Amino acid sequence: MPGVRGPSDYSQEPPRHPCLKINAKEPFNAEPPRSALVSSYVTPVDLFYKRNHGPIPIVDDIERYCVSISGLVENPKELFMKDIRKWAILMFKLACITKVLEQVMYIVIICNRMLPKYNVTATLQCAGNRRTAMSNTRKVKGVGWDVSAIGNAVWGGAKLADVLELVGISKLTSSTQSGGKHVEFVSIDKCKEENGGPYKASIPLSQATNPDADVLLAYEMNGETLNRDHGYPLRVIVPGVIGARSVKWLDSISVITEECQGFFMQKDYKMFPPSVDWDNINWSTRRAQMDFPVQSVICSLEDVTAIKPGKIKVSGYAASGGGRGIERVDLSVDGGKTWMEASRYQKTGIPYITDDISSDKWAWVLFEATIDVTHSTEIVAKAVDIAANVQPERVEDIWNLRGILNTSWHRVQVRVGHSNM
């Protein structure tokens, strides 16, 4: 791609927040302290987890950067960043002279209809979040994530459904006349799993063309231009789906007949039962993972935390895939024998109501409760989503050789005694 170069080593990676826990240096993978996650509803960019499969690409010339849209489409196109992002700037400039030229207003309307900007608040979560706890049960393969391979951000960009209309695919289309049923995203990023080729993934065409699915070609994160760690200059955001499908550093989009055949769709990020190991695995027997299951994590306490006896505040996050809201978060101070319900919120001061217009359906829910702890014990959290899906009790029951989707009850040991808080 013109204007793009990929570093052959890791010497040119950007600076990062000093409190990040580095899980791998090459490629760089890091997560913030769990306490940082509940400090704000929207995760600051520098505290958002970093997930990479290779050296971070460098885009030298933004004016020449473009994304090709091809495959089973009527009108293949190349979209430059000025086509995707600068409409708002163009509209402002044109609007300033509408008093003189009435026809300019018509141009403004057309520009606005082509690729309007949307802001979508959505939580991204790596499929390997909480892998360390799964590995403690039985060793698994993958980056050793604790509980913070997750973050919530406001993503700004064009809806993929609008972009696909430019190449002749109408909204709410599940199959094109030429047999296209999936949309593949290919990255500038090169990784060893693809034998030095690009990272890639796909989603069903029915999801890509559904405006309500809010799939974005994002160029902003929390109101600022994407940085290199998070996919500058353009990335895909697929809300409610594991982070592996939200391809960063976008190079091309292709409408294809079958699901992407890349490594991370066919030989990774699939959920196998505990009985499968590396000797008997058959990747073709399982579907590529898309939605993430219901999840909750206590963030205000580490394991093991020493506290004084008495009342303490317990807080954390809960999320479910597919836009399913959180119906309830339950806490236990006796290892799961008895339970109490935590309060839930997204915006401070506004009660969280599932499916309400005031709630962000793709975003996590924060929870908190004040509990009385008189002796050393195990505090447990579990969430229930609006489809009545509930977290499984034991990690052993969902163990899998790649250590993905650990959504078992989250447990934190607390020791009552001299406080170190």
Side-chain angles (χ1 to χ4, degrees):
M1 173 182 286
V4 174
R5 58 188 170 94
S8 58
D9 55 35
Y10 295 85
S11 61
Q12 300 184 65
E13 293 192 351
R16 278 100 176 197
H17 198 287
C19 79
L20 291 175
K21 174 190 173 187
I22 300 174
N23 295 321
K25 291 185 178 181
E26 299 179 3
F28 187 83
N29 288 280
E31 61 185 306
R34 64 178 69 178
S35 58
L37 294 181
V38 288
S39 63
S40 61
Y41 172 59
V42 173
T43 309
V45 172
D46 58 350
L47 291 176
F48 207 97
Y49 77 99
K50 325 294 181 187
R51 178 66 175 114
N52 300 294
H53 292 88
I56 296 176
I58 298 174
V59 177
D60 289 314
D61 186 355
I62 191 64
E63 294 299 322
R64 299 177 65 202
Y65 171 86
C66 66
V67 174
S68 64
I69 308 174
S70 60
L72 302 174
V73 300
E74 294 179 9
N75 306 302
K77 289 184 181 294
E78 285 191 344
L79 286 180
F80 289 82
M81 281 303 292
K82 68 178 185 295
D83 303 319
I84 301 170
R85 181 169 189 174
K86 291 187 177 178
W87 291 120
I89 299 174
L90 178 62
M91 285 188 287
F92 174 77
K93 289 179 179 179
L94 291 174
C96 289
I97 59 173
T98 53
K99 293 181 181 179
V100 180
L101 300 173
E102 291 183 2
Q103 64 268 31
V104 172
M105 181 59 72
Y106 174 75
I107 298 173
V108 173
I109 294 171
I110 295 300
C111 290
N112 188 42
R113 285 181 179 174
M114 284 190 68
L115 290 175
K117 177 189 172 184
Y118 292 88
N119 287 320
V120 176
T121 304
T123 296
L124 289 191
Q125 179 176 205
C126 178
N129 193 29
R130 299 182 60 198
R131 179 178 281 133
T132 299
M134 189 172 280
S135 192
N136 289 340
T137 297
R138 190 167 137 207
K139 189 175 181 181
V140 299
K141 181 180 178 182
V143 176
W145 297 107
D146 187 33
V147 302
S148 301
I150 187 172
N152 189 50
V154 180
W155 308 96
K159 283 197 178 183
L160 180 59
D162 290 340
V163 173
L164 292 176
E165 276 197 321
L166 298 179
V167 294
I169 301 178
S170 300
K171 291 183 171 67
L172 302 177
T173 297
S174 58
S175 178
T176 66
Q177 290 185 348
S178 50
K181 294 183 179 180
H182 298 266
V183 178
E184 180 181 64
F185 311 111
V186 180
S187 175
I188 302 168
D189 181 24
K190 302 296 192 294
C191 48
K192 65 179 182 180
E193 291 89 348
E194 294 285 4
N195 297 316
Y199 184 97
K200 49 191 172 182
S202 68
I203 62 174
L205 182 64
S206 57
Q207 183 177 18
T209 59
N210 183 358
D212 291 337
D214 290 328
V215 181
L216 291 185
L217 300 189
Y219 45 77
E220 287 183 359
M221 182 180 182
N222 295 348
E224 300 178 355
T225 300
L226 283 174
N227 66 20
R228 287 180 55 210
D229 268 326
H230 297 294
Y232 174 83
L234 194 68
R235 69 171 299 170
V236 183
I237 294 294
V238 188
V241 168
I242 63 170
R245 313 310 176 207
S246 290
V247 174
K248 297 188 284 187
W249 312 295
L250 188 62
D251 180 32
S252 64
I253 299 170
S254 183
V255 178
I256 55 180
T257 56
E258 297 181 351
E259 186 180 78
C260 169
Q261 296 301 298
F263 178 90
F264 295 100
M265 290 290 292
Q266 300 304 322
K267 293 189 176 181
D268 202 355
Y269 299 122
K270 294 184 176 184
M271 187 71 166
F272 285 88
S275 59
V276 172
D277 58 33
W278 293 106
D279 294 325
N280 62 13
I281 190 170
N282 182 348
W283 290 102
S284 65
T285 62
R286 303 291 158 177
R287 61 181 290 274
Q289 187 65 41
M290 300 300 284
D291 288 9
F292 54 81
V294 63
Q295 171 78 286
S296 71
V297 164
I298 297 169
C299 296
S300 57
L301 298 169
E302 297 286 340
D303 191 17
V304 174
T305 299
I307 62 173
K308 293 179 179 179
K311 297 185 181 299
I312 62 169
K313 187 175 80 170
V314 176
S315 58
Y317 66 78
S320 191
R324 294 180 291 275
I326 298 299
E327 183 67 24
R328 201 174 76 240
V329 178
D330 297 328
L331 295 175
S332 173
V333 295
D334 53 16
K337 295 177 183 178
T338 60
W339 299 88
M340 65 176 291
E341 186 173 352
S343 62
R344 294 159 294 137
Y345 65 96
Q346 288 183 327
K347 286 87 168 177
T348 303
I350 302 177
Y352 170 77
I353 304 173
T354 55
D355 293 338
D356 189 81
I357 192 171
S358 66
S359 302
D360 296 321
K361 70 174 182 177
W362 304 115
W364 64 14
V365 173
L366 302 180
F367 67 85
E368 64 179 22
T370 299
I371 61 176
D372 195 8
V373 179
T374 59
H375 58 276
S376 298
T377 188
E378 180 182 68
I379 301 176
V380 183
K382 64 178 173 70
V384 183
D385 69 18
I386 59 172
N389 297 310
V390 63
Q391 293 175 249
E393 177 179 354
R394 295 170 5 112
V395 66
E396 293 85 354
D397 296 334
I398 54 172
W399 184 95
N400 59 91
L401 75 174
R402 273 293 279 119
I404 66 169
L405 306 183
N406 179 12
T407 56
S408 59
W409 293 0
H410 188 231
R411 305 168 185 268
V412 176
Q413 304 292 327
V414 293
R415 185 177 68 252
V416 171
H418 295 292
S419 174
N420 64 351
M421 298 179 69

